[in-house]
Amino acid sequence: MDRFTYDALPGRVVFGAGTSRTELAPELARLGAHRVLLVASGSAVSPARERTKGLPVVGEFTEVREHVPVAVAERARARAAEVRADALLAFGGGSSVGTAKAVALTTGLPILCVPTTYAGSEVTPVWGMTEGRRKTTGRDERVLPRAIVYDPELTYGLPVRIASASGLNAMAHCVEAFWAPRANPVSTVLAEDGVRALAEGLSLIVDEPSAEAPRADLLYGAYLAGASLAGAGSGLHHAICHALGGAYDLPHALTHATVLPHVVAYTLPYAAEAARRMRRALDTDDPVGALRALATRLGIPAGLRELGLAEDQLEPIVERLDGHLPPGHPRPTDRDALRALLHDAWAGTTPKETV
């Protein structure tokens, strides 16, 4: 066994159907919360209001946006101060969690999360905000949620197209944990099981959109994805997607889902252990082919141009990333290699090099 370091982050997980109806009150009590700011948006607002009736919610913030623009973060902080919040309840997808984290970053307020997608960010101490077409991320334990209530019931009605993008976004967290800068044996085990759970759940919801069991598998896989990302950190895939999202406001989960097969195909020939684990998790001798086939079945775009990205928008991303990629990627990545990878991901080109 090689030497390694693993930070076991604090956090409480409550998992089970119906938990958002029965466990929010005791979890807020555990935090000592008496004045809670609810952070939610879109389709999550209605169930959030219904499930927080009778709880000490003193205000709402519903102006959530993807990639957490700094201006939105500042309005959320002002709202927390206005209602004198002593805790935050993030109810919804990754953008709601990210907004709550932006508040916690400057206030230290504790966060209770109720995820309704498979973002996995509720498990990590990573925050991200966008300003001037540039997304900045950081790591700070003040933003790590104190508790998470996972209720599969909240995901039963999630449309397959949204669940698919969100699930593959979570899988990107797992895959990257195999080779991220702080990769270690513990997060690797979590990542492999996460790939398995997410792939099985995603495969089933295509044919059985209303089936409940796959939704629970996906939510469990999302937890493992967040835990593996928190332990190992992020690498090339996340650097690319964050640069694209910050610069061009591309849809977060769908961008990750679209780029994922290309980064995997680019990397696996240089990452034998990751390839072995992916073969095992996906039960195939061709993990790249299996991942691409799954993405196609789920209706994920083959290339970023289908998201509206223009070819001439790639070079600024190359410039932005050149010299600023996370260290330790298994495959040496210079400017030309990065340019080729981005072009393949834009065009939807079938990778020439696979495992």
Side-chain angles (χ1 to χ4, degrees), residues 46-352:
S46 180
R49 288 171 175 166
E50 191 272 327
R51 283 163 174 78
T52 56
K53 287 180 180 176
L55 300 182
V57 173
V58 295
E60 297 179 355
F61 185 81
T62 60
E63 302 174 49
V64 172
R65 278 192 56 201
E66 278 197 319
H67 308 299
V68 194
V70 167
V72 171
E74 290 174 348
R75 289 198 294 272
R77 292 164 180 164
R79 181 62 174 151
E82 178 187 5
V83 301
R84 294 181 290 114
D86 60 9
L88 304 165
L89 175 55
F91 200 115
S95 298
S96 294
V97 176
T99 303
K101 285 182 173 183
V103 177
L105 182 65
T106 58
T107 64
L109 293 177
I111 304 173
L112 170 62
C113 283
V114 184
T116 60
T117 66
Y118 312 120
S121 59
E122 67 277 358
V123 195
T124 78
V126 177
W127 57 268
M129 284 180 278
T130 303
E131 185 174 30
R133 301 182 68 183
R134 182 179 292 271
K135 186 167 186 177
T136 301
T137 62
R139 186 180 178 95
D140 193 311
E141 291 200 15
R142 286 178 296 179
V143 310
L144 179 68
R146 304 282 185 88
I148 313 158
V149 173
Y150 286 108
D151 184 352
E153 285 185 358
L154 294 170
T155 67
Y156 291 166
L158 193 64
V160 170
R161 62 182 178 81
I162 297 176
S164 299
S166 186
L168 285 175
N169 176 30
M171 193 179 292
H173 303 336
C174 295
V175 169
E176 193 133 88
F178 292 138
W179 53 65
R182 298 192 308 279
N184 60 81
V186 180
S187 56
T188 296
V189 169
L190 296 175
E192 182 179 339
D193 203 32
V195 170
R196 182 181 300 107
L198 290 163
E200 290 176 355
L202 288 169
S203 297
L204 289 172
I205 64 169
V206 178
D207 299 321
E208 303 177 66
S210 61
E212 297 177 359
R215 303 290 180 148
D217 289 342
L218 286 170
L219 206 54
Y220 172 65
Y223 164 67
L224 294 175
S228 59
L229 178 69
S234 61
L236 176 65
H237 173 94
H238 284 74
I240 290 172
C241 292
H242 287 164
L244 288 166
Y248 305 123
D249 199 27
L250 296 180
H252 178 84
L254 201 53
T255 300
H256 278 267
T258 303
V259 170
L260 176 61
H262 298 278
V263 173
V264 172
Y266 174 84
T267 305
L268 280 196
Y270 297 77
E273 176 63 13
R276 183 181 70 83
R277 288 184 177 275
M278 287 197 67
R279 290 190 191 102
R280 190 163 61 193
L282 297 173
D283 192 23
T284 179
D285 291 331
D286 179 13
V288 173
L291 192 56
R292 289 177 66 86
L294 177 60
T296 299
R297 283 187 66 207
L298 294 168
I300 301 299
L304 292 167
R305 61 181 173 183
E306 296 179 50
L307 301 184
L309 188 70
E311 187 173 10
D312 62 7
Q313 291 178 304
L314 297 177
E315 191 60 29
I317 302 301
V318 174
E319 297 289 338
R320 183 168 295 187
L321 292 174
D322 185 39
H324 299 283
L325 292 174
H329 193 74
R331 179 173 181 172
T333 304
D334 59 18
R335 181 185 290 248
D336 289 339
L338 181 60
R339 183 179 291 113
L341 170 58
L342 279 169
H343 194 272
D344 282 349
W346 173 80
T349 305
T350 300
K352 300 178 181 65

